[in-house]
Amino acid sequence: MYNLLISLAVGIVVALLVKFAGFSIWAGLVPGLIAALGTFIFLARRVATRIQALMTTVQQDLQSQPTSQKDAQGRVDRAVKTLEKGLVYDKWQFMVGPEIHAQIGMLKYMVKDHDGAQAAFSKGSSRNYMAKAMEGALRYQRKDFAGMKTAFESATKSGKKEAIVWAVYAWCLLQNKEKDEALKVLGRGVEENPKDEKLKASLAQLQNDKRLKMKPYEPLWWQFGLEAPPTMPPMGGGGRRMQFVTRR
């Protein structure tokens, strides 16, 4: 990645300047490392700022209620084009491309462009728990149950503190008549989140042979499109705000 190469080059130059000043190469090691690290942080923040500006534009366009499916699709198309501008930084900073692809996948999924969503998810970051959970829901709808479990397991690793991930995973398992597996998933979720009353209530419902109620997980639940909401929620509101996080 270019940012890393530039940073290393700066560090080497500083170390050599110290040596040419009459000191040993070892004396230039510490200032060289400091210069390299400082340069990398500066360049990474510059890229993150530019990406966040694109994310802000997307959020502003999606935060209001769409008037129709056509309007929703048009907004997503514009948002995708905006996000794709950030792909030019993929060679500059680690994880830029995968994070952007994950965001694109979520947008396409929420307007039921499932082919486009799956293509984006395949390139997306495994650390984006919401994208991986949506991929799991998509694979459930396509009856790819092995792929569904793989995607949800990835989501529970990066989003183990997010109740919605465990709940949607369990819901999909229940629909596939895998109640024992759903119980295990909710049990794991409660172990990770012992103070989460929603997960504990969901686990108790299954243990007492009752229906798993997803209302406590609204409005995030509606973004998965597995049940029809009373009214269509805003694509960018009431749920996980799209935020770019630079991972180094």
Side-chain angles (χ1 to χ4, degrees):
M1 299 299 180
Y2 297 153
N3 283 355
L4 179 60
L5 294 176
I6 292 172
S7 301
L8 290 174
V10 170
I12 291 171
V13 168
V14 169
L16 290 176
L17 287 175
V18 172
K19 182 178 185 301
F20 293 152
F23 298 93
S24 70
I25 189 65
W26 299 108
L29 184 61
V30 172
L33 288 173
I34 293 174
L37 180 60
T39 301
F40 185 80
I41 292 174
F42 169 78
L43 294 175
R45 285 180 176 174
R46 185 176 66 172
V47 170
T49 298
R50 293 177 180 179
I51 296 295
Q52 189 59 54
L54 297 178
M55 294 294 184
T56 299
T57 299
V58 169
Q59 289 170 2
Q60 290 172 345
D61 195 27
L62 298 180
Q63 65 184 358
S64 60
Q65 179 81 33
T67 57
S68 65
Q69 183 64 26
K70 183 178 180 180
D71 180 29
Q73 184 63 60
R75 294 189 191 196
V76 166
D77 290 342
R78 291 193 300 272
V80 168
K81 290 180 180 179
T82 299
L83 290 173
E84 286 176 341
K85 294 177 182 178
L87 292 175
V88 298
Y89 300 109
D90 186 31
K91 294 181 179 180
W92 286 86
Q93 183 64 29
F94 296 109
M95 295 302 297
V96 167
E99 181 63 23
I100 289 177
H101 283 301
Q103 301 285 0
I104 290 173
M106 288 192 289
L107 288 174
K108 291 190 173 185
Y109 177 84
M110 285 190 282
V111 292
K112 301 188 182 302
D113 178 4
H114 287 175
D115 289 337
Q118 185 58 64
F121 286 146
S122 68
K123 302 176 184 177
S125 170
S126 61
R127 299 183 181 184
N128 190 317
Y129 66 86
M130 195 66 169
K132 296 306 294 184
M134 284 188 176
E135 181 182 357
L138 173 55
R139 290 186 180 276
Y140 158 76
Q141 293 173 75
R142 292 186 160 182
K143 301 187 184 303
D144 176 12
F145 300 121
M148 175 196 83
K149 292 178 182 179
T150 298
F152 273 121
E153 286 298 327
S154 179
T156 59
K157 289 180 181 178
S158 56
K160 61 184 179 182
K161 298 299 181 183
E162 303 296 330
I164 185 67
V165 171
W166 300 101
V168 177
Y169 190 1
W171 187 93
C172 290
L173 288 169
L174 280 174
Q175 303 309 304
N176 197 37
K177 302 187 185 305
E178 296 184 70
K179 181 179 177 180
D180 289 343
E181 291 300 313
L183 280 166
K184 290 178 182 178
V185 165
L186 288 176
R188 288 163 52 198
V190 171
E191 286 180 7
E192 293 288 352
N193 304 274
K195 296 182 180 180
D196 194 302
E197 296 301 324
K198 291 185 295 185
L199 282 176
K200 288 193 286 187
S202 294
L203 178 58
Q205 287 165 12
L206 294 196
Q207 289 172 333
N208 293 308
D209 294 321
K210 295 182 179 179
R211 184 175 65 87
L212 179 60
K213 298 178 181 179
M214 299 302 290
K215 185 174 180 58
Y217 304 98
E218 296 175 10
L220 272 177
W221 164 240
W222 300 127
Q223 293 191 5
F224 288 87
L226 297 172
E227 289 184 326
T231 57
M232 185 167 61
M235 290 180 292
R240 179 182 189 271
R241 287 177 59 84
M242 293 193 303
Q243 297 179 341
F244 181 81
V245 178
T246 303
R247 297 184 176 94
R248 296 187 286 272

